[in-house]
Amino acid sequence: MNNLKFSVIFLFGVLVLFSCDNTETKKGRFLLKGNEKLKENDPEAAVEFYTEALLIDPNYKDALYNRGLVYQQLNKLEEAISDFSAILMVNPTDSLALFQRGVGYMDNGEYYKALEDSKNLLSNLPKSWKGHFLSGLILEKMKNYSEALLAFDNSLELQPDNPEVLINKATLHYYLKEFEQSEISLDLAQKLNPSEPNIYNLRAMLSFEAKDYAKALEWIEKSIKLNPKEAFFYNNRGLYLIYLGEHEKGLEDINYSLKQNPKNLYAIRNKGIYYFYKDQKELALSYFEEVYEKDPEIELVKEYIAKCNQK
């Protein structure tokens, strides 16, 4: 199980005017080439083209913004934050850059800086759902679930038909063990966007809580079909496979997820669960203790530490 992710890729295009302004034409071409590479699922090449555009004009907002988004996609958070900060140096009220930098700070564990960006966003655009949504995401990461839920409700007041907010609200209800409320928010989100993979990931998590492991596997397979690139879906599938007795298949998924993000505590925990069921309890315990040291509240960890220590 894992936290849901929220990411929006805004692809800025430009109308390249073939005029006497050769600088504008050149940087615009590099921007468009970067966008094409991103559509072709080649983010590294996209970064190279955006960088070429920025060599021509270091303050080129569209290239800075797009490169920042790609850096986030590549988990290069310091670089992403730097690009969004460059935009905000020129225009401190830029709402797109404020939102994405806030997400970058949040993903980098700099929660108070992220909250500052969300406050600035709310101050600049008090009628926008995004500021409340960003606040909710950060408070969720900080495990302040009651305030996060209030922030999501404020966001939904401004934009009631937003599936991303509904999914995150459903996730909070899940964390609070309010499973019926979670299902209600998921049902609304699914009506609005039935192709959103995070809906089925959370349905899988709810099925796992109900100990219906076969149904959990069915739901997570749907998530992976909709988005085969999301590493934490594979981690979740690995857990369900282990509980269904398919230990080696489960480990394969967990290792794949860890390769994408070696710091994912849920994947480290799941690897411990694999070794527990392979009767390698000392090795399993080393994984559980690593997770417990960093986040003692992650579910199942205390339970499995106790199991490993049983004589």
Side-chain angles (χ1 to χ4, degrees):
M1 290 171 286
N2 214 322
N3 291 337
L4 295 178
K5 290 186 177 180
F6 174 79
S7 61
V8 178
I9 298 292
F10 295 90
L11 291 179
F12 281 94
V14 293
L15 293 173
V16 181
L17 303 176
F18 294 95
S19 65
C20 58
D21 192 348
N22 197 41
T23 298
E24 289 296 316
T25 301
K26 282 183 178 179
K27 72 179 188 182
R29 282 176 177 164
F30 282 124
L31 180 77
L32 292 174
K33 285 179 181 179
N35 291 352
E36 286 300 318
K37 287 298 178 183
L38 201 53
K39 289 176 186 175
E40 294 168 11
N41 194 31
D42 190 351
E44 288 85 1
V47 165
E48 290 179 10
F49 281 118
Y50 297 144
T51 301
E52 288 291 335
L54 289 164
L55 288 173
I56 297 169
D57 179 359
N59 294 318
Y60 189 17
K61 174 188 166 181
D62 292 353
L64 282 167
Y65 186 77
N66 280 15
R67 191 174 70 173
L69 287 171
V70 179
Y71 279 143
Q72 281 183 319
Q73 189 180 38
L74 295 171
N75 206 35
K76 295 183 176 181
L77 299 176
E78 296 288 349
E79 292 91 334
I81 290 166
S82 177
D83 278 351
F84 299 132
S85 295
I87 295 171
L88 293 165
M89 285 287 289
V90 177
N91 180 8
T93 63
D94 188 289
S95 61
L96 294 174
L98 267 176
F99 182 88
Q100 289 302 148
R101 189 175 72 173
V103 172
Y105 278 138
M106 177 186 73
D107 288 341
N108 208 34
E110 299 178 81
Y111 299 136
Y112 292 102
K113 288 183 180 179
L115 279 174
E116 193 63 32
D117 278 349
S118 73
K119 287 176 184 175
N120 287 334
L121 196 58
L122 284 166
S123 176
N124 297 333
L125 294 170
K127 297 297 182 182
S128 172
W129 64 275
K130 276 193 169 186
H132 295 289
F133 182 50
L134 179 57
S135 295
L137 290 174
I138 300 159
L139 290 164
E140 178 184 330
K141 286 276 192 180
M142 298 173 77
K143 299 189 177 179
N144 189 341
Y145 296 149
S146 57
E147 286 194 30
L149 200 56
L150 179 61
F152 289 144
D153 282 336
N154 289 337
S155 184
L156 286 168
E157 280 186 21
L158 294 164
Q159 193 173 92
D161 295 335
N162 190 307
E164 287 83 9
V165 183
L166 285 164
I167 293 166
N168 280 274
K169 184 180 178 183
T171 305
L172 282 180
H173 285 305
Y174 166 83
Y175 290 147
L176 294 165
K177 307 295 183 185
E178 299 168 352
F179 299 137
E180 286 187 19
Q181 292 95 319
S182 183
E183 292 278 7
I184 290 168
S185 292
L186 279 181
D187 289 343
L188 290 170
Q190 189 169 337
K191 286 178 183 177
L192 293 166
N193 186 6
S195 62
E196 171 50 59
N198 282 314
I199 292 169
Y200 308 104
N201 176 60
L202 186 50
R203 291 200 186 282
M205 293 162 68
L206 288 163
S207 296
F208 182 82
E209 286 288 334
K211 301 189 187 308
D212 189 345
Y213 307 131
K215 191 65 178 178
L217 183 62
E218 184 182 322
W219 284 126
I220 200 63
E221 293 282 14
K222 187 160 187 175
S223 293
I224 291 171
K225 186 176 180 181
L226 287 166
N227 183 5
K229 297 173 186 174
E230 186 52 73
F232 70 88
F233 292 164
Y234 291 91
N235 177 51
N236 289 2
R237 186 174 71 176
L239 178 64
Y240 309 148
L241 286 167
I242 288 172
Y243 271 76
L244 288 166
E246 298 189 54
H247 300 145
E248 303 311 317
K249 284 186 178 179
L251 179 63
E252 186 178 334
D253 275 346
I254 293 162
N255 282 337
Y256 173 78
S257 186
L258 278 169
K259 187 177 179 182
Q260 308 305 310
N261 180 7
K263 296 180 181 179
N264 184 346
L265 294 179
Y266 290 90
I268 296 168
R269 178 204 65 184
N270 291 352
K271 197 160 184 176
I273 293 173
Y274 165 82
Y275 284 115
F276 176 84
Y277 284 109
K278 298 301 286 186
D279 204 29
Q280 299 182 47
K281 291 184 180 179
E282 283 191 20
L283 182 55
L285 190 59
S286 69
Y287 283 98
F288 297 136
E289 287 176 344
E290 178 185 348
V291 175
Y292 185 82
E293 183 181 341
K294 293 173 181 174
D295 188 347
E297 299 305 314
I298 286 184
E299 288 196 0
L300 300 177
V301 173
K302 292 176 185 176
E303 175 187 333
Y304 275 96
I305 288 175
K307 287 181 178 180
C308 287
N309 287 323
Q310 284 176 356
K311 300 296 183 183

